[in-house]
Structure formats: structure tokens, C-alpha cells
Amino acid sequence: MSKPAVDLTIVGSIGIDTIETPTEKQEEILGGSVSYACAAASFFTHTGMVGVVGTDFPQEYRDTWIHMNIDLQGLQTVEGKTFRWSGVYEENMDNRRTLSTELNVFETFSPELPEDYREAPYLFLGNIHPALQLHVLEQVRNPRFILIDTMDLWINIDKEDLTKVIGKCHMLTLNESEAQLFTGEHSLSQAAQHLLGLGPEYVLIKKGGNGSMLFTKEDIFLLHAYPLESFKDPTGAGDTFAGGLMGALAASGRTDREAIRQAMVYGSIVASFGVEEFSLERLKQLDRNKIEVRVEEFKAMCKL
Ligand code: AMP
């Protein structure tokens, strides 16, 4: 059998963001779940992007992805304006408020996978409407490993489709508060067991700057976040984490527990770089060697 054109397909949103932190405001910068996730995955494996932009989308942003060697066959360009989102972080950077969301071309987005992507062994379905995630699952040919992400909006408005998607993936990732919202369980262990009961083999609960927890029916793996002295913008950190994880897993060619734990370390370290600057600015300057150095530094911190 011939090798698939990409090892990892990632589907998600592409946004032009305006972000305000207590010290800085950046307007019209490159964002979106698939943009962060593909950038992170690109350090490890050949990755295909599935998303939509409008005819106003800057060539400079497209060039950023091209320089990262991201495959853009699955990128649709549609007449109209690109999705726009703006948000503001409060003083402690823990809470973020959405100021505006303009769906634009994202409103009628229907993810269509190029023939070349359908055989990719690894698939990451970023945070989009669960009905669209189901549409992607109908197109792929038996991937070895499927990760899905979601958000509170879909838990609130389309839990039924979301439950179907969860039943078809190998791993589900969501934030602590989303796991509690979906299940009604306060304890993360109980919430994870509830979600595992819906079908996935792994549930990965993200706790922002406090790290993440990987649950299976048999065990739990705890991963601390890399302790940064300072950071500028946490937007997209979860997408960067998941993209890096899937990129590293695809590069390993494995899907077992040990490989997933190692891949989580890579995802977390790439995300720690990503938040040091706005948008993809830090990831653009990054290389595999710098990632490896920080991974070793992190492992030394975790040694018992
Ligand atoms: P996160 O920090 O993981 O919430 O991801 C932030 C990115 O999600 C931003 O770059 C936005 O462009 C994008 N985004 C914001 N709202 C939505 C939405 N409703 N659907 C899809 N993507 C969104």
C-alpha cells in the first residue's frame, strides 16, 4: 500500500483574532484552533489542515503555514470575510471574556477532506460543531487514532450529536469545567469515568496552567505544566497542546498508553512555547532542537 500524503489530518476553525491582555492589545492576528494545532504538529509530522478562510485572508498568514510545511490541500477559500473573534483577559489572565464573534464564512463551513487525507492514520477533530465532526468521521477510512476536542457551547446546545462523536473517537479532550458541565460530576475522576463509559479509551482533562490528567478505565496519568516565568497570551494553548500531542504520536507510529504519555509531554512543552508570544509568533521561531532541550529540562524537574 502507498504511504498516505499526510500522517495527520486536523480539522478546526481559522480565525482572525483581536486579543487584549492587561498589558497589551493585538489586532487582526492569526488564530483559530486548526492554525494553532497544525503549527504545533508540524514539528513532528506531515500534517494536513482542513478549514475555511474568506477572500480577505492575508497571504502573509498563508505563508506562515507554508513555511511550517503544513499541507494546505484541505484549506477552502470562500468568497466573503474570514471568521473573526475578539476576547479580553482579566487581570490575573485566568479568565477570558469573548467580546465578539463574527462567523462570516465559518457559518456555512462544511469540512470536505481531500482524497489524500482520508487514509491518514491519525485524525484530530478540533473544536467545531459536533454535526460537522460527524461529517468528517463519515469521510475517513478507519484511522488508527482519533482525538476530538469540544467546548461548553456544544455541550449546551447539541449534547446528542456530541455524545455520538465521543462514541466514535479513541480520545476525548476537554477542560476541567467542560468535563464537569457534561457529566454533572464535580470530581474529575468520576467525570472521566462517566465519559469513558461513552466509548473512548482515553479522556484527557486540561487544567490550564495546572497541567492535565489522562484517564483510562484502569489508571490515571498526571502531567504538570512547564513552569514559565512569564507568558503573554494563553489563547490557543489547548489546541497547541493537542496538536503537538497528535503530531508526536503520529511520528511515533504508535497508539499505546506509553506513547500517548510521551506525546503529552511534547504537546505540553510546545504549548509552553506558544503562550510566550501572541498568535504563532513564538512557534514560528521554534525548532525541534529547542523543544527537545525543554523536554529534557522538564523531565529532570519531574524525577522522583
Ligand atoms: P482556545 O484558546 O482554545 O479557546 O482557542 C482560541 C481560538 O479559538 C481563537 O484563535 C479563535 O479564533 C477560535 N475561536 C473562538 N471562538 C470560536 C468558536 N465559537 N468556534 C471556533 N473557534 C473559535
Short mmCIF file of all heavy atoms in Angstrom, two decimals, residues 225-228 230-233 237 240-241 265-277 282-283 286 291 294-295 298:
data_model
loop_
_atom_site.label_atom_id
_atom_site.label_comp_id
_atom_site.label_asym_id
_atom_site.label_seq_id
_atom_site.Cartn_x
_atom_site.Cartn_y
_atom_site.Cartn_z
N ALA A 225 2.17 21.31 34.19
CA ALA A 225 2.53 22.24 33.11
C ALA A 225 3.96 22.72 33.35
O ALA A 225 4.40 22.82 34.49
CB ALA A 225 1.58 23.42 33.11
N TYR A 226 4.68 23.02 32.26
CA TYR A 226 6.04 23.56 32.39
C TYR A 226 5.96 24.93 33.08
O TYR A 226 5.17 25.79 32.65
CB TYR A 226 6.67 23.69 31.00
CG TYR A 226 8.05 24.28 31.03
CD1 TYR A 226 9.15 23.49 31.30
CD2 TYR A 226 8.25 25.64 30.79
CE1 TYR A 226 10.43 24.03 31.34
CE2 TYR A 226 9.52 26.19 30.82
CZ TYR A 226 10.59 25.38 31.10
OH TYR A 226 11.86 25.92 31.13
N PRO A 227 6.74 25.14 34.14
CA PRO A 227 6.62 26.41 34.88
C PRO A 227 7.31 27.58 34.16
O PRO A 227 8.52 27.70 34.21
CB PRO A 227 7.31 26.10 36.22
CG PRO A 227 8.23 24.97 35.93
CD PRO A 227 7.72 24.23 34.73
N LEU A 228 6.52 28.41 33.52
CA LEU A 228 7.06 29.57 32.80
C LEU A 228 7.20 30.75 33.76
O LEU A 228 6.34 30.94 34.64
CB LEU A 228 6.08 29.99 31.70
CG LEU A 228 6.03 29.15 30.44
CD1 LEU A 228 4.87 29.62 29.57
CD2 LEU A 228 7.34 29.23 29.67
N SER A 230 7.09 33.87 32.72
CA SER A 230 6.05 34.80 32.27
C SER A 230 5.52 34.33 30.92
O SER A 230 6.19 33.57 30.21
CB SER A 230 6.62 36.21 32.12
OG SER A 230 7.57 36.20 31.09
N PHE A 231 4.32 34.75 30.61
CA PHE A 231 3.75 34.42 29.30
C PHE A 231 2.91 35.60 28.84
O PHE A 231 2.50 36.43 29.65
CB PHE A 231 2.94 33.12 29.35
CG PHE A 231 1.77 33.16 30.29
CD1 PHE A 231 0.50 33.48 29.83
CD2 PHE A 231 1.93 32.87 31.64
CE1 PHE A 231 -0.58 33.52 30.69
CE2 PHE A 231 0.84 32.90 32.51
CZ PHE A 231 -0.41 33.23 32.04
N LYS A 232 2.64 35.65 27.54
CA LYS A 232 1.94 36.83 27.01
C LYS A 232 0.49 36.57 26.67
O LYS A 232 -0.37 37.44 26.85
CB LYS A 232 2.65 37.34 25.76
CG LYS A 232 3.87 38.16 26.09
CD LYS A 232 4.31 38.94 24.86
CE LYS A 232 5.50 39.83 25.19
NZ LYS A 232 6.15 40.30 23.98
N ASP A 233 0.19 35.37 26.09
CA ASP A 233 -1.17 35.15 25.59
C ASP A 233 -1.52 33.65 25.58
O ASP A 233 -0.98 32.91 24.76
CB ASP A 233 -1.26 35.72 24.16
CG ASP A 233 -2.60 35.41 23.52
OD1 ASP A 233 -3.57 35.16 24.26
OD2 ASP A 233 -2.67 35.42 22.27
N ALA A 237 -3.79 27.71 23.64
CA ALA A 237 -2.86 26.79 24.33
C ALA A 237 -3.37 25.35 24.27
O ALA A 237 -2.59 24.42 24.03
CB ALA A 237 -2.66 27.23 25.77
N THR A 240 -2.80 23.99 20.82
CA THR A 240 -1.36 23.75 20.61
C THR A 240 -0.96 22.46 21.32
O THR A 240 -0.22 21.63 20.77
CB THR A 240 -0.55 24.96 21.14
OG1 THR A 240 -1.10 26.15 20.60
CG2 THR A 240 0.91 24.86 20.76
N PHE A 241 -1.43 22.30 22.53
CA PHE A 241 -1.16 21.08 23.32
C PHE A 241 -1.64 19.85 22.55
O PHE A 241 -0.89 18.89 22.33
CB PHE A 241 -1.87 21.22 24.67
CG PHE A 241 -1.78 20.02 25.57
CD1 PHE A 241 -0.60 19.28 25.67
CD2 PHE A 241 -2.86 19.63 26.35
CE1 PHE A 241 -0.52 18.18 26.53
CE2 PHE A 241 -2.79 18.53 27.20
CZ PHE A 241 -1.62 17.80 27.29
N VAL A 265 3.76 14.94 26.84
CA VAL A 265 4.87 15.79 27.29
C VAL A 265 5.26 16.74 26.15
O VAL A 265 5.41 17.95 26.35
CB VAL A 265 6.08 14.93 27.74
CG1 VAL A 265 7.29 15.81 28.05
CG2 VAL A 265 5.71 14.07 28.94
N TYR A 266 5.37 16.20 24.93
CA TYR A 266 5.71 17.06 23.78
C TYR A 266 4.64 18.13 23.56
O TYR A 266 4.96 19.31 23.35
CB TYR A 266 5.90 16.21 22.51
CG TYR A 266 7.26 15.58 22.44
CD1 TYR A 266 7.44 14.24 22.71
CD2 TYR A 266 8.37 16.35 22.12
CE1 TYR A 266 8.71 13.66 22.67
CE2 TYR A 266 9.64 15.80 22.08
CZ TYR A 266 9.81 14.45 22.35
OH TYR A 266 11.07 13.91 22.31
N GLY A 267 3.37 17.73 23.62
CA GLY A 267 2.28 18.69 23.41
C GLY A 267 2.35 19.81 24.43
O GLY A 267 2.22 21.00 24.11
N SER A 268 2.57 19.44 25.67
CA SER A 268 2.60 20.42 26.75
C SER A 268 3.79 21.37 26.59
O SER A 268 3.66 22.59 26.81
CB SER A 268 2.68 19.65 28.08
OG SER A 268 3.02 20.50 29.11
N ILE A 269 4.93 20.84 26.19
CA ILE A 269 6.11 21.69 26.02
C ILE A 269 5.93 22.65 24.84
O ILE A 269 6.24 23.84 24.93
CB ILE A 269 7.39 20.83 25.88
CG1 ILE A 269 7.68 20.10 27.20
CG2 ILE A 269 8.59 21.66 25.42
CD1 ILE A 269 7.88 20.99 28.42
N VAL A 270 5.37 22.17 23.73
CA VAL A 270 5.14 23.08 22.59
C VAL A 270 4.16 24.18 23.02
O VAL A 270 4.35 25.36 22.70
CB VAL A 270 4.63 22.33 21.34
CG1 VAL A 270 4.37 23.31 20.20
CG2 VAL A 270 5.66 21.30 20.88
N ALA A 271 3.13 23.81 23.78
CA ALA A 271 2.16 24.82 24.24
C ALA A 271 2.85 25.85 25.15
O ALA A 271 2.52 27.04 25.10
CB ALA A 271 1.01 24.14 24.98
N SER A 272 3.83 25.39 25.95
CA SER A 272 4.52 26.34 26.84
C SER A 272 5.29 27.38 26.02
O SER A 272 5.40 28.54 26.43
CB SER A 272 5.44 25.60 27.82
OG SER A 272 6.63 25.16 27.17
N PHE A 273 5.81 26.99 24.88
CA PHE A 273 6.45 27.97 23.99
C PHE A 273 5.40 28.89 23.37
O PHE A 273 5.57 30.10 23.32
CB PHE A 273 7.21 27.27 22.85
CG PHE A 273 8.55 26.71 23.24
CD1 PHE A 273 8.74 25.35 23.38
CD2 PHE A 273 9.62 27.57 23.45
CE1 PHE A 273 9.99 24.83 23.71
CE2 PHE A 273 10.88 27.05 23.79
CZ PHE A 273 11.06 25.68 23.93
N GLY A 274 4.30 28.29 22.91
CA GLY A 274 3.27 29.05 22.19
C GLY A 274 2.75 30.25 22.95
O GLY A 274 2.55 31.33 22.37
N VAL A 275 2.55 30.09 24.27
CA VAL A 275 1.95 31.18 25.06
C VAL A 275 2.94 32.29 25.39
O VAL A 275 2.56 33.33 25.92
CB VAL A 275 1.30 30.64 26.37
CG1 VAL A 275 0.19 29.67 26.05
CG2 VAL A 275 2.33 30.01 27.31
N GLU A 276 4.21 32.09 25.05
CA GLU A 276 5.21 33.14 25.33
C GLU A 276 5.00 34.38 24.45
O GLU A 276 5.48 35.45 24.77
CB GLU A 276 6.63 32.59 25.13
CG GLU A 276 7.02 31.63 26.25
CD GLU A 276 8.40 31.00 26.06
OE1 GLU A 276 9.04 31.19 24.99
OE2 GLU A 276 8.84 30.30 26.98
N GLU A 277 4.32 34.18 23.31
CA GLU A 277 4.02 35.32 22.42
C GLU A 277 2.58 35.19 21.93
O GLU A 277 1.95 34.16 22.09
CB GLU A 277 4.95 35.32 21.20
CG GLU A 277 6.43 35.54 21.51
CD GLU A 277 6.75 36.94 22.01
OE1 GLU A 277 5.94 37.86 21.77
OE2 GLU A 277 7.81 37.10 22.63
N ARG A 282 5.75 32.87 18.46
CA ARG A 282 6.83 32.10 19.10
C ARG A 282 7.05 30.78 18.35
O ARG A 282 8.19 30.36 18.16
CB ARG A 282 6.48 31.83 20.57
CG ARG A 282 7.59 31.13 21.35
CD ARG A 282 8.79 32.06 21.53
NE ARG A 282 9.89 31.40 22.24
CZ ARG A 282 10.88 30.74 21.64
NH1 ARG A 282 10.90 30.64 20.31
NH2 ARG A 282 11.85 30.18 22.34
N LEU A 283 5.97 30.15 17.91
CA LEU A 283 6.10 28.86 17.22
C LEU A 283 6.84 29.02 15.90
O LEU A 283 7.55 28.12 15.46
CB LEU A 283 4.72 28.21 17.01
CG LEU A 283 3.92 27.88 18.28
CD1 LEU A 283 2.64 27.12 17.94
CD2 LEU A 283 4.75 27.06 19.27
N LEU A 286 10.48 28.59 16.47
CA LEU A 286 10.85 27.39 17.23
C LEU A 286 11.40 26.30 16.31
O LEU A 286 11.06 26.26 15.12
CB LEU A 286 9.58 26.90 17.93
CG LEU A 286 9.71 25.88 19.05
CD1 LEU A 286 10.60 26.41 20.17
CD2 LEU A 286 8.32 25.53 19.61
N ILE A 291 12.74 22.33 21.34
CA ILE A 291 11.69 21.55 22.02
C ILE A 291 12.34 20.44 22.85
O ILE A 291 12.02 20.25 24.02
CB ILE A 291 10.70 20.96 20.99
CG1 ILE A 291 9.95 22.07 20.26
CG2 ILE A 291 9.71 19.99 21.67
CD1 ILE A 291 9.10 21.61 19.07
N ARG A 294 13.92 21.67 26.10
CA ARG A 294 12.95 21.96 27.17
C ARG A 294 12.31 20.68 27.70
O ARG A 294 12.00 20.58 28.89
CB ARG A 294 11.90 22.97 26.70
CG ARG A 294 11.11 23.52 27.86
CD ARG A 294 10.14 24.64 27.49
NE ARG A 294 10.79 25.94 27.38
CZ ARG A 294 10.12 27.08 27.19
NH1 ARG A 294 8.80 27.07 27.08
NH2 ARG A 294 10.76 28.22 27.10
N VAL A 295 12.11 19.70 26.83
CA VAL A 295 11.55 18.41 27.27
C VAL A 295 12.50 17.77 28.30
O VAL A 295 12.06 17.30 29.36
CB VAL A 295 11.31 17.45 26.08
CG1 VAL A 295 11.12 16.01 26.55
CG2 VAL A 295 10.09 17.88 25.27
N PHE A 298 12.31 19.61 31.54
CA PHE A 298 11.04 19.29 32.21
C PHE A 298 11.11 17.91 32.88
O PHE A 298 10.70 17.75 34.03
CB PHE A 298 9.90 19.34 31.19
CG PHE A 298 8.56 18.95 31.75
CD1 PHE A 298 7.88 19.82 32.60
CD2 PHE A 298 7.99 17.72 31.47
CE1 PHE A 298 6.65 19.46 33.14
CE2 PHE A 298 6.78 17.35 32.00
CZ PHE A 298 6.11 18.23 32.84
#
